[in-house]
Structure formats: C-alpha cells, structure tokens
C-alpha cells in the first residue's frame, strides 16, 4: 500500500528534462570569440534586476501552463529552449499547426536542424521574415538569454496579447568585441518590453482591476450579466444558470450575439451540438470575430480561454454586449459604465 502511494506521489520526469545538463554562465573568454565578432553579455546586476526576473517568471509560467497537457516542464528559459523541443510544442499548441520535424533530437546536429526548422515556421507565423530579428538560430542554440526572451515576448504578443508582461523591461548589456589588440567592451541598454503609455492605460481591462481589487464584487457583476443574458435568451426558450461553464462551447454566445446584433447564423456556419474541443473552439472563434467586426471587443480575447471556462475572459465578452445593450427598463438598477 505504501509503495503504491509513493509511486503516485512521484511525477515521472520526461526524457527531455532528464537529458538537460546545467551550464555555467560567464563572461566570454577571449579565445572563445573569433576576431572581428561581437557577443552580448549580461552582467550580474542585469540578471539580478527584479523586472528582468519577473519577465522570465511570467513567460515561464505561461509556457508551462500551455504545455501542461504535454507533461513538459520548463525550469530555465536559458537552458530549456535552445534545442527546439519546447518551441516545437509551444508553437503547435499556439497555432494548431503540425510541423514535420522529429520529435526528440538527441545529437547536436539534429537539435540544430530541428531548431532551424521550428524557427523558420515561427518567423513566418510572426510575419517577421522581412524585419530585423532580435534572435537567430545561432543565438538561441547558444542559449543566449536575451535572444530567447525577445523571441518569447514576440510569441506572447502575437498569440497571447492579454498576457500581463511587465512593462518597460530594459537591462544593461555589455557587448564584447574581439579585435587585434584584444577584447573591447561597450555598455548599452536593451529594451525587452514596451513602455506603458497613456493609451495602454486607457484600454486596460476593467476586469483585471475588479478581480484584483474588488473580488467580492465579482459575483454581483456576474449576477447582473446573467439576468441581462436570460432576458435576451428567454425569447428562444433558453436560460443560463452557470456563467462560468455554459458559454464554453460557443453555442449560447452565438445565439445571444444573433439576438442582440440582428445576425442570422446558418446552421452550416457553426456547430449547434459541438462534441469536441475543436468544434467548440470553432464556435467561440466565430463569435469573437463577429464581436470584433461590430467593434465591441476593446480587449484581446483568446478563444481557447473561453473554451477552457476562464471566468474573466467569459465576463469580458459578455460585458461587451451588456455595455451596449443593457436593458432600458432597468437602467436605474443596472450598472452603467465599468463594473465598479
């Protein structure tokens, strides 16, 4: 009995995690840098910067959450991204595209070829082929933390725009150059995330503040929105009891949008009785596209979050409709503006 319990408590590590070996990070030696070449180096003060550490933490938690179904755990962005395996799985999870590359590359040449193929697909998806890239196959494969962070930030901005990356993350970088007379160094500042602007502040999602500063009011807001939704769906003989779960397949959301915005949706356009996550994702994606076309979504929503029953994302979508179509007869009792 005890042996069975012990086995259950121990999570088997993936082959990938067992293969990883720690690598010491240090200043590049003169003999390691060919003459005429440059290499960036992060001094200890930059590595210890709190915002720099927070950026890595947010990105790592995001990747681990995305790859949880794959049982792959990232422990270090610097050590775990270089061989293309994590990027391969992350890219497929974010895009739904399948790449024709080997699953586990164990030799150095194979790892590099895999990374090159994955990065080529990533760059195409980011539409970054014609722009100066802040990463390269060489940099990622050589575990360049700055290049790795630039790549991951670009992926997050493209596929998870609501990810709360810390703003204005910049670190001091020392660029080493090998010359005939020896190594020369130059200090500069590297910008990793954008500065917060007034425009950014104006478009901040009110539900981030609500969940953070007034969680006790969340249920009251949910109740007001559910009442609004039920009055609109009543004419279809439908009702909502659980806001957190009943919109995950996109059916009620599409019917609600049709009622409020005057859309007629043909049954061939969506799945009335979805039976798989892919069909649910199709419905939700269609609903969000309709809302975007009507200019109702002021905050980026990931359709996967709705399918995965994320309360905050579901509230964002429903509130966009509530804000526009709140019942006139209940104007005195229905909240105006933001859900304070």
């Amino acid at each position: 009995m005890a042996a069975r319990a012990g086995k259950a408590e121990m999570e088997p590590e993936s082959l990938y995690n067992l293969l990883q070996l720690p690598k010491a990070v240090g200043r590049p030696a003169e003999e390691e840098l060919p003459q005429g070449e440059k290499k960036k180096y992060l001094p200890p003060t930059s590595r210890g910067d709190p915002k720099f550490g927070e950026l890595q933490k947010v990105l790592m938690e995001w990747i681990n959450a995305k790859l949880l179904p794959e049982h792959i755990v990232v422990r270090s962005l610097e050590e775990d991204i270089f061989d293309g395996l994590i990027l391969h799985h992350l890219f497929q999870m974010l895009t739904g595209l399948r790449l024709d590359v080997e699953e586990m590359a164990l030799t150095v040449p194979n790892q590099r070829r895999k990374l090159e193929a994955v990065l080529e697909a990533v760059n195409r998806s980011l539409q970054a082929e014609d722009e100066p890239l802040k990463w390269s196959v060489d940099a990622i494969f050589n575990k360049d933390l700055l290049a790795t962070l630039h790549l991951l930030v670009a992926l997050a901005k493209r596929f998870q725009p609501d990810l709360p990356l810390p703003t204005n993350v910049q670190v001091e970088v020392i660029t080493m150059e090998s010359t005939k007379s020896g190594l020369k160094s130059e200090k500069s500042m590297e910008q990793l995330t954008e500065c917060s602007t007034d425009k950014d502040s104006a478009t901040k999602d009110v539900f981030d503040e609500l969940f953070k500063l007034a969680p006790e009011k969340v249920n009251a807001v949910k109740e007001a929105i559910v009442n609004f939704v039920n009055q609109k769906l009543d004419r279809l003989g439908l009702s909502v009891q659980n806001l957190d779960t009943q919109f995950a397949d996109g059916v009620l959301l599409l019917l609600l949008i049709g009622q409020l915005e005057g859309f007629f949706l043909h049954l061939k356009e969506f799945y009335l009785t979805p039976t798989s996550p892919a069909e649910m994702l199709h419905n939700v994606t269609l609903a969000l596209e309709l809302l975007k076309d009507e200019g109702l979504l002021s905050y980026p929503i990931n359709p996967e979050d709705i399918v995965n029953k994320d309360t905050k994302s579901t509230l964002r979508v429903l509130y966009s409709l509530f804000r526009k179509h709140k019942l006139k007869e209940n104007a005195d009792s229905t909240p105006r503006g933001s859900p304070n």
Side-chain angles (χ1 to χ4, degrees):
M1 195 73 181
R4 184 179 302 172
K7 185 177 180 180
E9 291 172 1
M10 183 173 292
E11 178 72 21
E13 290 207 354
S14 68
L15 174 61
Y16 173 78
N17 289 328
L18 292 174
L19 287 172
Q20 297 310 294
L21 296 174
K23 174 189 174 187
V25 179
R27 189 180 179 118
E30 187 168 350
E31 60 270 18
E32 293 177 353
L33 197 60
Q35 186 172 317
E37 290 193 11
K38 296 181 179 181
K39 186 173 182 179
K40 291 179 180 178
Y41 161 69
L42 277 173
T45 51
S46 293
R47 289 181 175 273
D49 183 275
K51 293 190 73 172
F52 185 66
E54 177 65 17
L55 176 62
Q56 294 178 72
K57 179 174 179 290
V58 171
L59 289 170
M60 199 179 309
E61 289 177 350
W62 172 58
I63 295 171
N64 284 334
K66 287 293 180 184
L67 297 186
L68 184 62
E70 305 289 339
H71 305 292
I72 295 176
V73 179
V74 176
R75 294 189 175 92
S76 165
L77 298 179
E78 200 163 12
E79 296 296 322
D80 295 347
I81 303 296
F82 80 98
D83 63 356
L85 185 141
I86 300 261
L87 281 177
H88 178 200
H89 283 265
L90 180 63
F91 179 75
Q92 292 189 151
M93 190 67 69
L94 292 174
T95 64
L97 301 174
R98 294 294 159 188
L99 300 181
D100 186 20
V101 296
E102 58 184 310
E103 179 62 28
M104 185 69 70
L106 300 181
T107 66
V108 170
N110 288 345
Q111 287 176 341
R112 186 182 176 86
R113 277 195 296 269
K114 173 170 182 171
L115 175 65
E116 188 172 358
V118 173
L119 269 186
E120 183 180 345
V122 168
N123 292 343
R124 280 199 307 268
S125 183
L126 292 173
Q127 298 179 337
E129 294 173 296
D130 299 327
E131 300 176 9
L133 297 179
K134 297 179 180 179
W135 60 85
S136 65
V137 173
D138 284 339
I140 301 297
F141 195 70
N142 289 324
K143 303 183 182 181
D144 184 315
L145 182 56
L146 282 174
T148 302
L149 288 174
H150 279 302
L151 172 61
L152 295 176
V153 167
L155 281 169
K157 287 172 63 178
R158 170 67 176 83
F159 295 104
Q160 192 83 44
D162 59 342
L163 189 68
L165 296 175
T167 59
N168 196 28
V169 178
Q170 54 179 344
V171 289
E172 184 182 68
V173 176
I174 298 176
T175 301
M176 309 295 296
E177 182 180 6
S178 178
T179 66
K180 292 182 179 180
S181 57
L183 284 177
K184 290 185 177 181
S185 65
E186 181 181 55
K187 290 184 179 180
S188 62
M189 296 301 295
E190 185 111 0
Q191 194 79 30
L192 287 161
T193 62
E194 298 172 351
C195 299
S196 178
T197 64
D198 294 338
K199 182 179 178 181
D200 294 332
S201 300
T203 57
K204 275 188 177 179
D205 177 50
V206 292
F207 286 99
D208 284 334
E209 297 299 314
L210 180 68
F211 274 68
K212 181 180 178 181
L213 302 178
E216 72 282 355
K217 294 183 179 180
V218 172
N219 285 335
V221 173
K222 288 167 67 174
E223 183 179 350
I225 292 178
V226 166
N227 288 338
F228 160 74
V229 169
N230 281 336
Q231 291 189 49
K232 293 301 180 183
L233 291 180
D234 182 62
R235 67 194 71 173
L236 298 178
L238 301 171
S239 65
V240 173
Q241 283 79 44
N242 191 326
L243 179 147
D244 297 333
T245 62
Q246 285 185 258
F247 290 94
D249 63 6
V251 176
L252 286 180
L253 185 56
L254 283 169
L255 294 175
L256 178 64
I257 293 172
Q259 285 289 304
L260 294 172
E261 297 296 317
F263 289 123
F264 175 77
L265 295 171
H266 197 281
L267 289 178
K268 292 183 179 180
E269 295 182 77
F270 71 104
Y271 298 93
L272 188 59
T273 55
T275 57
S276 69
E279 292 178 352
M280 296 165 66
L281 186 61
H282 170 85
N283 284 354
V284 173
T285 301
L286 174 59
L288 295 183
E289 287 174 354
L290 292 174
L291 291 176
K292 288 178 184 175
D293 289 343
E294 294 300 301
L296 293 180
L297 281 186
S298 60
Y299 193 90
I301 305 290
N302 187 342
E304 289 182 348
D305 291 338
I306 305 293
V307 174
N308 293 329
K309 303 172 184 176
D310 179 71
T311 300
K312 194 189 297 184
S313 297
T314 304
L315 277 172
R316 286 178 180 131
V317 174
L318 294 175
Y319 181 66
S320 70
L321 290 163
F322 174 81
R323 183 174 51 193
K324 179 179 178 182
H325 298 281
K326 54 187 174 181
L327 300 175
K328 293 180 180 179
E329 59 268 29
N330 291 335
D332 292 337
S333 58
T334 301
R336 291 183 177 272
S338 300
N340 295 321

